[in-house]
Amino acid sequence: MNALKRAYDYVELPTKLASVLPFFTAIAYCFFLLSGTGYALHVSSTLLFFAAMLLFDMTTTMINNYIDRRQSGKQGYFSRPVMLAMIFCALLPAAAIGVYLAWHYGIVFLLAGIFCFFIGITYTFGPMPISRSSYGELFSGLTLGLVLPFLVVTINTPALVQLTLTGWTASLTLDFLGLIKLVLVCAPLVLCISNIMLANNICDYEADKATRYTLPRHIGIENGIRLFTALYVFCYLAIVAAVAAGAIPWLSLFVLLTALPVSRNVRRFNEKQVKSQTFALSVKNFLTIITPYAISIFAGTIL
């Protein structure tokens, strides 16, 4: 049982909500797109993608924890060989599934998947990890909030982006309207996930000043707090815009009711930025907004 607890802590299982909720939001959006068309979800491929997504999410978390333990000199969750073995036991199957799906869904899927793998690995590993730069919020939000749903949509609906190679000639076809709608649908995901990273960096501002060049260090704590608040405003505006564009059902407007508890959490965070006390408010806001958001898209498709 002790080993299971250490493994649980090593992969930080609760943090996987940051990828699971965008996945289910993307599935809900696919249902909405396919409604009335006579087409259905590609269940087997979608389940394979879900497995690869979770495995790779665990991989990036384990890499982060492995590096942190080594650099801090703290005792590892397991011995070094076991910790490395766990990383590769998650990474290799995730990569294999990704290659298999890319074989079926084309070069655009492959390139988007490579982008996710590259960001995931370099987020905490390498000479200049993204998490230690001012781009952590941007890349975490875009990767989990937009590229991940794009991959799910690519599996289950007509391709929004097609790249055809004929000899030395490449032909690119874009469904601009479909891409714009996808961006609007994913905007709340991108903004909420980015705010989790931003809240983390704001809370760690003093501890990070000597070694990390995060966004709050560049723009300052006060501007960081203003940005934290503004991103939630843009999140709700994006939901209204997505409904107005017909990208999601009108039922999703009920998500605007979550603005009351979210605003309370924002005020609490603005008053005090302490990791152990208020960082979790950004995660609560993510759950408060995105859970009913995904449910509303499902429900609106059925009604």
Side-chain angles (χ1 to χ4, degrees):
M1 183 61 69
N2 186 40
L4 288 176
K5 176 63 167 60
R6 282 182 284 147
Y8 178 89
D9 292 337
Y10 187 27
V11 302
E12 295 181 12
L13 202 58
T15 65
K16 304 308 153 229
L17 285 171
S19 55
V20 170
L21 276 179
F23 173 84
F24 282 111
T25 303
I27 291 295
Y29 183 54
C30 289
F31 269 113
F32 182 70
L33 289 176
L34 297 173
S35 178
T37 65
Y39 293 97
L41 291 179
H42 297 165
V43 177
S44 59
S45 294
T46 301
L47 290 175
L48 279 174
F49 178 81
F50 182 76
M53 177 194 75
L54 278 184
L55 286 169
F56 187 66
D57 197 345
M58 291 179 185
T59 299
T60 58
T61 302
M62 286 190 286
I63 291 173
N64 182 46
N65 286 332
Y66 175 79
I67 293 173
D68 282 350
R69 292 285 167 144
R70 286 198 63 189
Q71 291 180 342
S72 65
K74 294 180 181 179
Q75 182 179 359
Y77 297 93
F78 301 95
S79 66
R80 182 181 175 186
V82 171
M83 291 173 72
L84 287 172
M86 290 176 69
I87 290 172
F88 283 102
C89 284
L91 175 62
L92 295 178
I97 294 172
V99 171
Y100 171 79
L101 291 174
W103 178 262
H104 284 276
Y105 294 101
I107 190 169
V108 172
F109 186 95
L110 175 64
L111 293 174
I114 290 174
F115 173 82
C116 288
F117 267 70
F118 176 78
I119 296 301
I121 297 298
T122 59
Y123 197 76
T124 54
F125 180 75
M128 293 185 65
I130 295 172
S131 63
R132 295 177 179 269
S133 73
S134 58
Y135 304 106
E137 289 83 357
L138 175 65
F139 281 108
S140 61
L142 286 178
T143 304
L144 291 172
L146 180 59
V147 182
L148 187 154
F150 171 80
L151 289 168
V152 176
V153 170
T154 299
I155 289 173
N156 290 291
T157 67
L160 297 175
V161 181
Q162 297 185 63
L163 180 61
T164 305
L165 300 177
T166 306
W168 292 96
T169 303
S171 176
L172 181 65
T173 303
L174 303 175
D175 178 354
F176 279 110
L177 181 59
L179 286 171
I180 291 171
K181 287 183 176 181
L182 178 64
V183 169
L184 288 174
V185 171
C186 293
L189 298 168
V190 174
L191 296 169
C192 286
I193 292 170
S194 295
N195 252 355
I196 292 176
M197 182 66 178
L198 179 59
N200 181 68
N201 286 334
I202 290 174
C203 290
D204 287 342
Y205 179 79
E206 291 298 329
D208 290 346
K209 280 198 299 186
T211 58
R212 302 178 71 180
Y213 298 88
T214 58
L215 183 60
R217 182 172 175 183
H218 283 273
I219 65 176
I221 289 291
E222 292 302 320
N223 286 330
I225 292 172
R226 292 190 186 98
L227 178 60
F228 180 78
T229 303
L231 290 183
Y232 287 121
V233 175
F234 289 132
C235 174
Y236 288 112
L237 290 176
I239 293 173
V240 174
V243 172
I248 52 177
W250 64 267
L251 199 65
S252 296
L253 289 175
F254 281 103
V255 180
L256 300 180
L257 296 175
T258 64
L260 184 59
V262 167
S263 64
R264 283 199 298 263
N265 289 338
V266 169
R267 282 196 299 271
R268 288 179 59 195
F269 184 83
N270 290 354
E271 291 168 359
K272 182 188 294 186
Q273 301 86 45
V274 179
K275 188 74 168 282
S276 61
Q277 299 178 34
T278 56
F279 164 70
L281 295 173
S282 64
V283 180
K284 288 181 180 179
N285 283 349
F286 173 69
L287 296 174
T288 300
I289 295 171
I290 302 304
T291 302
Y293 184 57
I295 292 172
S296 71
I297 298 174
F298 270 120
T301 303
I302 297 171
L303 295 178

